[in-house]
Amino acid sequence: MKRSFAGLTDTGLVRSVNQDAFYIDDPEGRFFIVADGMGGHAGGQEASRIAIETIEKYLVECWKSSQKTPDLLKEAFLKANQAIVDDQLDHPERSDMGTTAVAVVFRDRNHPWCAHVGDSRLYRLHKEELTQITEDHTWVGRALKAGHLTVEEARKHPWRHVLAQCLGRQDLQQIDLQEFEVQPGDRLLLCSDGLTEELSADEIGPNLQLKLSGGEAAQKLVNAAKDKGGRDNITLVIVTLD
């Protein structure tokens, strides 16, 4: 299945520094990554950069290895986590830095795998239906899954940004790995919470329709998030399955 892709990041209207990062530079479009850093200006930027570079390096080096895809992805995330922890030890001024991350790899024909930690998300648009593939590693995400909150309550809850997991922690306990289905004509969206904080799924879906190119859809989504306030950095990657 042929893949076309586009990525875009924007500082937003409130923050002075962009702590997000994304990766779409693999020439064969084998994998894509979005990371959302935290922990002060320098710390957040460094954490997301380290995560992207470490995951990319490991995937490239071990792509043709005998590792199964979920094992490959998990090890890439574990190495990214350790790289951030090592940097914290070398630079105590960045000891509180961390980052969320979401990655998709196309390694086993048309059966992609996703890995994620934190609240950066993966969505799939099939025909006109938008489905969230990942589950947020947040206090609110857990409450939503347990049925203690509605989707609308979760969107407005004051604890919605409290992360249960992120890369850059000695006690990292959870890396979610899953295989998911795609079909020709689908679109995938990887994004930081700067997009989903401002736009609901009902607002995101129409902007992903195939009448727009990936680049046009990315710009339209960023503009829509900024029109709603743009309170955080906004980063997204759109993958179109032709």
Side-chain angles (χ1 to χ4, degrees):
M1 208 180 301
K2 184 180 178 182
R3 296 179 290 278
S4 58
F5 40 90
L8 187 61
T9 187
D10 192 287
T11 305
L13 301 177
V14 175
R15 304 290 179 90
S16 60
V17 173
N18 193 340
Q19 300 181 76
D20 289 0
F22 70 91
Y23 180 89
I24 59 169
D25 295 334
D26 183 72
E28 299 175 43
R30 296 176 296 178
F31 57 90
F32 308 92
I33 315 166
V34 165
D36 178 358
M38 66 209 74
H41 291 174
Q45 285 180 304
E46 279 300 294
S48 61
R49 179 192 65 79
I50 292 170
I52 293 283
E53 291 181 357
T54 305
I55 294 169
E56 181 265 337
K57 184 174 185 289
Y58 187 81
L59 291 179
V60 169
E61 289 179 350
C62 300
W63 191 262
K64 295 182 179 180
S65 72
S66 60
Q67 283 179 290
K68 293 182 179 180
T69 300
D71 296 332
L72 180 79
L73 263 175
K74 183 176 182 179
E75 187 63 26
F77 270 57
L78 288 173
K79 286 189 176 296
N81 184 67
Q82 189 59 52
I84 296 170
V85 170
D86 290 345
D87 190 86
Q88 292 169 343
L89 296 174
D90 292 338
H91 302 90
E93 70 277 11
R94 297 200 290 262
S95 62
D96 62 342
M97 72 175 178
T99 186
T100 70
V102 58
V104 171
V105 302
F106 290 84
R107 191 169 179 241
D108 306 317
R109 294 185 178 272
N110 296 324
H111 297 281
W113 278 82
C114 166
H116 90 284
V117 173
D119 60 359
S120 290
R121 293 180 181 176
L122 170 66
Y123 290 91
R124 176 197 179 199
L125 181 73
H126 175 65
K127 297 182 178 179
E128 296 183 359
E129 182 178 356
L130 186 69
T131 302
Q132 183 177 333
I133 303 295
T134 55
E135 295 181 353
D136 294 350
H137 296 157
T138 60
W139 184 92
V140 164
R142 291 178 174 178
L144 182 63
K145 185 177 181 180
H148 300 316
L149 294 174
T150 66
V151 172
E152 190 57 33
E153 287 171 339
R155 282 184 55 79
K156 298 177 180 178
H157 199 283
W159 292 0
R160 63 189 180 277
H161 300 301
V162 178
L163 290 174
Q165 295 287 324
C166 70
L167 296 180
R169 296 295 178 263
Q170 295 274 12
D171 61 347
L172 177 65
Q173 297 174 353
Q174 184 177 7
I175 301 171
D176 279 1
L177 301 155
Q178 58 182 311
E179 186 181 28
F180 60 98
E181 180 184 358
V182 292
Q183 295 181 17
D186 286 357
R187 267 192 167 158
L188 303 179
L189 170 67
L190 297 80
C191 61
S192 65
D193 70 341
L195 180 72
T196 55
E197 172 71 9
E198 306 295 356
L199 303 179
S200 67
D202 289 340
E203 294 169 313
I204 292 171
N207 290 310
L208 282 177
Q209 301 299 326
L210 293 176
K211 62 185 178 181
L212 298 173
S213 71
E216 291 170 336
Q219 188 63 67
K220 192 170 182 180
L221 283 167
V222 167
N223 290 344
K226 291 170 75 173
D227 287 343
K228 284 291 193 74
R231 290 165 287 182
D232 199 354
N233 307 146
I234 308 157
T235 300
L236 54 94
V237 169
I238 295 173
V239 183
T240 304
L241 305 168
D242 298 323

